[in-house]
Amino acid sequence: MQPFWTFTGVLNDIISTMFNRKFMEELFKPQELYSKKALRTVYERLAHASIMKLNQASMDKLYDLMTMAFKYQVLLCPRPKDVLLVTFNHLDTIKGFIQDSPTILQQVDETFRQLTEIYGGLSAGEFQLIRQTLLIFFQDLHIRVSMFLKDKVQNNNGRFVLPVSGPVPWGTEVPGLIRMFNNKGEEVKRIEFKHGGNYVPAPKEGSFELYGDRVLKLGTNMYSVNRPVETHMSGSSKNLASRTQESIAPNPLAKEELNFLARLMGGMEIKKPSGPEPGFRLNLFTTDEEEEQAALTRPEELSYEVINIQATQDQQRSEELARIMGEFEIMEQPRLSTSKGDDLLAMMDEL
């Protein structure tokens, strides 16, 4: 039971930090979309909010898989407002992890309330602006994920495929009919056309209540099917990453961004390991040698080769979880001496 207890504790620490009141207050403040560097910094701090640690190569893999999964969910939303349903699916899944932790559950429910209060009354146009802003943010990422490739929702070049079948967005009709009206608003003619797809009407609208059927499956567990998941960066994507690397020239907004990060980091309650046990290191590679080689060959910008994630069947979960936790290595976490400003994460730790 020790591995399961430890795994549950790691989840509780990360979720508690993610939904910390001060942290949420900073996120919900009206503000410009911050840079990829800022997002990466926040993500790393959240991932390291517990005693579990990842080195840089494993963090790259985890971060890339997260960004592609989120891009997929946003891109394939049937209508802009469904971005909110995707978020609610995320929260529903998180609440399933913390059912036995009422204090943390209350934090998540409070976040749900704030999301409903701020975004529930937005118009379709405002949701479209949010969706487009998110897609522009991730538009240069074309990382191939084996699961997406097998499901034929992603091409070999890493770009996602829009479906031409299934339910149409709620509130719309199945394509195939053109109506013409006169200047009095009266329908005068109908023309049918072949749309080339296999569309059906939406059964019902997803629920925006605290508890309810979201209908939309985007944002739910993608690994519920027993299959390996790998990601690969194509050569063109590597070149694009190099070309789009942020300039080393001084950024006039850098000071404001650092101030924002300082406030954001200040709202996090990072759990420090107690007692002689320094913590766990999570390795997302098959072997330590593979991880070390990836770290040596890793360019300065984002790069990686493969992410392997194996989802297990219900009857195998306990055994598989015990095996995974048994592979965790306890390591000392030495503090590297770097000059202030060389490492953004180190800078946040010193603020």
Side-chain angles (χ1 to χ4, degrees):
M1 291 301 294
Q2 180 65 21
F4 179 77
W5 178 88
T6 305
F7 180 71
T8 302
V10 167
L11 282 178
N12 286 351
D13 288 347
I14 294 176
I15 295 172
S16 177
T17 300
M18 184 185 305
F19 293 94
N20 176 271
R21 181 179 60 82
K22 293 181 180 179
F23 181 54
M24 285 292 108
E25 287 176 356
E26 291 297 332
L27 286 182
F28 278 108
K29 287 181 180 178
Q31 57 197 286
E32 294 292 330
L33 189 67
Y34 45 95
S35 70
K36 290 181 174 64
K37 281 187 176 180
L39 175 64
R40 177 62 181 261
T41 301
V42 173
Y43 186 82
E44 290 191 1
R45 286 297 294 269
L46 286 173
H48 291 155
S50 70
I51 61 174
M52 182 183 68
K53 304 300 177 186
L54 295 86
N55 76 358
Q56 196 62 54
S58 291
M59 178 62 73
D60 285 347
K61 291 176 177 286
L62 185 62
Y63 181 80
D64 292 340
L65 183 60
M66 179 277 296
T67 53
M68 288 306 293
F70 183 71
K71 179 181 179 180
Y72 164 76
Q73 294 166 3
V74 174
L75 183 62
L76 269 68
C77 278
R79 56 175 182 167
K81 188 177 182 180
D82 289 337
V83 172
L84 193 55
L85 285 179
V86 169
T87 304
F88 289 169
N89 272 335
H90 292 164
L91 296 181
D92 290 344
T93 301
I94 289 173
K95 288 194 291 187
F97 295 144
I98 54 173
Q99 290 180 346
D100 298 328
S101 304
T103 302
I104 307 177
L105 185 61
Q106 186 177 5
Q107 290 178 255
V108 179
D109 286 343
E110 174 60 21
T111 301
F112 185 100
R113 186 194 65 78
Q114 293 184 59
L115 284 167
T116 303
E117 180 180 326
I118 295 174
Y119 297 101
L122 296 186
S123 65
E126 290 171 316
F127 274 113
Q128 175 66 359
L129 180 59
I130 292 175
R131 180 176 179 272
Q132 289 298 324
T133 301
L134 292 172
L135 291 178
I136 290 172
F137 185 83
F138 293 110
Q139 66 179 348
D140 295 330
L141 293 177
H142 306 297
I143 304 166
R144 293 175 295 144
V145 180
S146 64
M147 180 176 62
F148 295 149
L149 294 171
K150 291 175 182 177
D151 290 344
K152 301 187 185 303
V153 297
Q154 190 181 33
N155 290 325
N156 287 329
N157 60 5
R159 297 182 182 275
F160 289 109
V161 180
L162 294 177
V164 291
S165 62
V168 297
W170 173 257
T172 63
E173 299 180 5
V174 174
L177 180 64
I178 299 176
R179 296 184 177 92
M180 298 184 182
F181 299 84
N182 59 19
N183 56 4
K184 296 181 180 179
E186 300 170 342
E187 183 179 329
V188 295
K189 188 177 181 179
R190 291 190 176 191
I191 300 177
E192 294 184 358
F193 67 93
K194 293 183 179 180
H195 51 72
N198 186 24
Y199 298 103
V200 295
K204 61 179 180 178
E205 184 178 22
S207 172
F208 291 88
E209 301 298 325
L210 180 59
Y211 297 98
D213 183 6
R214 312 299 177 198
V215 179
L216 188 69
K217 299 304 179 184
L218 293 171
T220 57
N221 185 10
M222 299 187 302
Y223 312 114
S224 57
V225 180
N226 185 23
R227 55 186 172 188
V229 179
E230 299 176 353
T231 65
H232 308 265
M233 178 179 282
S234 62
S236 59
S237 295
K238 289 181 180 179
N239 294 335
L240 182 60
S242 298
R243 293 196 302 270
T244 58
Q245 185 180 12
E246 297 195 30
S247 172
I248 60 175
N251 183 350
L253 298 179
K255 181 178 180 180
E256 182 60 30
E257 181 175 283
L258 289 177
N259 289 337
F260 163 72
L261 282 174
R263 295 194 304 269
L264 213 55
M265 298 303 114
M268 291 184 176
E269 295 179 356
I270 307 300
K271 303 296 183 181
K272 301 295 183 181
S274 58
E277 190 175 277
F280 293 98
R281 179 176 66 87
L282 177 60
N283 184 356
L284 293 184
F285 292 79
T286 305
T287 63
D288 287 341
E289 290 75 15
E290 181 183 344
E291 183 181 40
E292 293 171 0
Q293 181 63 28
L296 290 175
T297 59
R298 174 180 178 266
E300 187 173 346
E301 67 271 11
L302 189 65
S303 71
Y304 61 89
E305 291 182 359
V306 177
I307 292 177
N308 294 309
I309 294 181
Q310 178 69 45
T312 59
Q313 298 177 355
D314 290 344
Q315 62 269 28
Q316 296 175 322
R317 284 179 181 169
S318 297
E319 179 181 351
E320 182 69 4
L321 184 57
R323 184 188 66 77
I324 293 174
M325 293 304 297
E327 294 176 355
F328 283 179
E329 295 182 17
I330 298 178
M331 295 181 58
E332 294 291 340
Q333 302 293 329
R335 178 180 177 83
L336 299 178
S337 59
T338 58
S339 59
K340 188 172 182 180
D342 288 344
D343 188 321
L344 187 56
L345 268 180
M347 180 182 292
M348 291 302 101
D349 288 335
E350 294 174 4
L351 290 175

